[in-house]
Amino acid sequence: GENVEQHPSTLSVQEGDSAVIKCTYSDSASNYFPWYKQELGKRPQLIIDIRSNVGEKKDQRIAVTLNKTAKHFSLHITETQPEDSAVYFCAASRNAGNMLTFGGGTRLMVKP
Amino acid sequence: DTEVTQTPKHLVMGMTNKKSLKCEQHMGHRAMYWYKQKAKKPPELMFVYSYEKLSINESVPSRFSPECPNSSLLNLHLHALQPEDSALYLCASSHQSASYEQYFGPGTRLTVT
């Protein structure tokens, strides 16, 4: 089955700096890669996703890049703000698959 | 309506009790999921229903019993749980499969005493 590894497990940045979280996956058939943000005591919420026919996707301060050959994808957050502090999970799924495999999570702390 | 709802928000139960968790969505999604989440860990998949049929059971103990009465509802029946089953139980739904955005409910915080 799929295995998704995520690094780092914790990340502390100063407000205004950029943050990068990296994930690798094992199943070459995976082609959907979402990122979820989970604030303390809240539900996970999708912040951005990318499919394997695209190398990069951007939404305001958030971007995701995908390298299919190397089987890794990354989340980039620019101009970080204190409200970006949360746990971020990457995940991977096959096309029409019923299972989403999550990475172990990254706790991002943005210091004002 | 782009929301998944879950009841109850909190549940405390003894090891001999029987209780049920409920999940509802009205987005027309045909895939629904139960996850278990321990503190500081990612959601761990338990069950997947696709078009109201159980398609994945991730080797979950039989003390957890899922049910999908219709396309909008998902239940998780609990019986004879153990203290290690204490966790946040999340329901989610997606359009057709896991290759679409999953919308999560707020979860039920379960404590087994």
Side-chain angles (χ1 to χ4, degrees):
Chain A
E2 175 67 279
N3 181 46
V4 178
E5 294 197 358
Q6 183 172 346
H7 299 280
S9 56
T10 60
L11 179 59
S12 182
V13 300
Q14 211 61 41
E15 182 178 359
D17 288 351
S18 295
V20 180
I21 302 170
K22 298 182 179 183
C23 288
T24 59
Y25 61 98
S26 61
D27 186 353
S28 55
S30 288
N31 64 354
Y32 174 63
F33 307 94
W35 286 88
Y36 284 84
K37 175 184 180 182
Q38 188 174 25
E39 296 177 61
L40 191 63
K42 300 278 184 71
R43 73 189 81 187
Q45 290 196 292
L46 184 79
I47 54 171
I48 196 165
D49 56 11
I50 191 166
R51 297 187 186 274
S52 59
N53 57 347
V54 175
E56 184 174 356
K57 186 176 177 181
K58 194 172 180 182
D59 182 3
Q60 298 181 3
R61 297 185 298 109
I62 294 172
V64 57
T65 58
L66 171 66
N67 183 326
K68 281 177 59 180
T69 305
K71 288 192 276 190
H72 66 70
F73 57 112
S74 300
L75 178 72
H76 304 253
I77 306 174
T78 59
E79 300 170 28
T80 53
Q81 301 166 3
E83 50 265 39
D84 294 328
S85 296
V87 178
Y88 291 81
F89 294 103
C90 64
S93 170
R94 289 184 168 200
N95 185 37
N98 275 336
M99 182 179 291
L100 192 60
T101 302
F102 285 88
T106 297
R107 180 170 300 278
L108 173 65
M109 293 168 284
V110 181
K111 294 184 244 183
Chain B
D1 183 2
T2 57
E3 193 176 358
V4 176
T5 58
Q6 287 186 245
T7 56
K9 288 186 179 178
H10 301 275
L11 179 61
V12 179
M13 59 186 290
M15 289 188 283
T16 58
N17 291 160
K18 281 186 181 180
K19 296 285 184 185
S20 296
L21 309 185
K22 295 185 184 302
C23 173
E24 192 166 2
Q25 57 88 13
H26 294 287
M27 294 178 277
H29 288 170
R30 304 314 300 270
M32 296 187 76
Y33 311 82
W34 278 115
Y35 289 92
K36 174 183 177 180
Q37 188 177 31
K38 291 278 206 180
K40 299 183 181 181
K41 295 290 186 184
E44 179 185 338
L45 184 66
M46 300 174 73
F47 302 104
V48 180
Y49 273 84
S50 178
Y51 290 84
E52 298 149 59
K53 286 186 169 42
L54 183 65
S55 63
I56 292 179
N57 175 340
E58 284 291 282
S59 303
V60 180
S62 59
R63 55 186 185 269
F64 295 91
S65 175
E67 179 195 17
C68 188
N70 60 54
S71 60
S72 300
L73 295 175
L74 188 65
N75 298 323
L76 186 63
H77 303 296
L78 315 173
H79 174 54
L81 294 193
Q82 304 296 308
E84 59 265 29
D85 296 324
S86 298
L88 180 68
Y89 287 84
L90 291 163
C91 172
S93 71
S94 65
H95 179 48
Q96 286 180 324
S97 69
S99 54
Y100 294 88
E101 176 180 359
Q102 289 193 20
Y103 291 78
F104 284 84
T108 294
R109 177 73 59 189
L110 174 68
T111 303
V112 181
T113 61

